[in-house]
Amino acid sequence: MTQKSKNSSSDQQKLMIIGGVIAAAVIVAIAFIVLSSQSSLGSASIDYSQIPQERQPDGGFVLGDPNAPVTIVAFEDFLCSHCQQYQSTINPFIEKYVATGMARFEYRFMPVISATYSPLVAKYTECSDTLEPGSFWKAHDVMFDLVSSSAYSNSTPETFANRMGISYAKMLECSTEVNQVQTDATLGQQLGVSGTPTIMVRYGDSTPQLTQYGSQPTFEQLGMIVAAAGVGQ
């Protein structure tokens, strides 16, 4: 083999190595993006069927052991990007503290993004529970995932109904009758909620109050609130 041929072969090998490195880097980057998008709302594998569910006397949706000493109350708007991001805090909290009976989680609709669409998506999630009792928390996750992935569009209601396995026509009819969103918004206004997400804490049956860590406590701070209520971690 001539020196020229050897150099050419060496150059080809170098190019192949460089190409392999670049391809590996691309694969890693794609995997990272996919995993990041899948985890953007926190865990999506919560088994709500194993967690007690009920509604407050005024209709507010509550998840967790009725005997838990502390309840984390979230005023959120599905269409709020900060609320969508905050699910990466809420979902692990539910898994660690609510599913284990150490705390409860209460969800309140607070329509602040759109006077038209924010109440609508709230009504759709409530109607899911009306048509299929016990499905609210799954609907909560599905709606957050749906609007955070593609934002609200004309196809959102039907897509949501299909993913929840409920009748689209019945959901639309139901949405003209339910109005928990107005009840929650009125409560939020009475408590001074002006933005979302706003996280409050309720001890026993007391009125919700802002946490000592502000309106958006971290996962660690939520754990401190639970511990301060007298529940071991």
Side-chain angles (χ1 to χ4, degrees):
M1 180 180 294
T2 65
Q3 185 63 38
K4 182 176 180 181
S5 297
K6 291 181 179 179
N7 290 340
S8 177
S9 177
S10 177
D11 289 344
Q12 289 178 351
Q13 289 178 347
K14 289 180 181 179
L15 289 174
M16 290 177 64
I17 293 172
I18 293 173
V21 170
I22 293 175
V26 170
I27 292 173
V28 170
I30 292 174
F32 176 79
I33 292 172
V34 170
L35 290 174
S36 297
S37 64
Q38 290 177 339
S39 62
S40 62
L41 297 180
S43 172
S45 59
I46 300 174
D47 185 359
Y48 292 112
S49 68
Q50 301 302 311
I51 308 175
Q53 303 176 32
E54 64 178 352
R55 298 183 72 169
Q56 292 284 16
D58 68 352
F61 290 92
V62 187
L63 188 67
D65 187 344
N67 295 316
V70 61
T71 302
I72 296 301
V73 184
F75 286 86
E76 297 184 308
D77 183 333
F78 289 110
L79 302 185
C80 161
S81 61
H82 294 296
C83 297
Q84 295 164 9
Q85 295 165 6
Y86 197 66
Q87 298 316 294
S88 62
T89 295
I90 290 297
N91 285 341
F93 174 80
I94 290 175
E95 290 182 314
K96 182 171 182 177
Y97 296 104
V98 180
T100 56
M102 300 165 69
R104 306 177 84 198
F105 180 68
E106 180 176 329
Y107 186 85
R108 295 286 180 167
F109 304 114
M110 193 66 190
V112 297
I113 300 301
S114 168
T116 299
Y117 299 116
S118 293
L120 270 182
V121 294
K123 290 183 177 185
Y124 295 151
T125 56
E126 182 182 3
C127 282
S128 175
D129 192 75
T130 300
L131 297 173
E132 292 291 338
S135 67
F136 172 77
W137 295 100
K138 176 184 177 182
H140 163 279
D141 289 356
V142 167
M143 185 60 78
F144 262 128
D145 180 63
L146 185 60
V147 298
S148 66
S149 299
S150 58
Y152 187 91
S153 69
N154 291 334
S155 65
T156 297
E158 186 168 7
T159 301
F160 172 75
N162 289 338
R163 287 185 60 174
M164 289 304 301
I166 58 178
S167 165
Y168 175 52
K170 289 182 178 179
M171 184 187 77
L172 293 182
E173 180 182 357
C174 170
S175 68
T176 66
E177 302 169 352
V178 299
N179 207 21
Q180 183 63 37
V181 61
Q182 184 56 56
T183 299
D184 291 353
T186 298
L187 175 62
Q189 291 165 2
Q190 293 171 348
L191 296 174
V193 176
S194 59
T196 56
T198 291
I199 305 302
M200 293 189 165
V201 58
R202 184 199 295 275
Y203 297 99
D205 296 325
S206 66
T207 300
Q209 58 186 298
L210 200 62
T211 78
Q212 64 265 44
Y213 304 107
S215 62
Q216 296 178 37
T218 65
F219 173 76
E220 290 74 18
Q221 290 169 337
L222 289 174
M224 293 177 188
I225 292 173
V226 175
V231 180
Q233 297 191 56

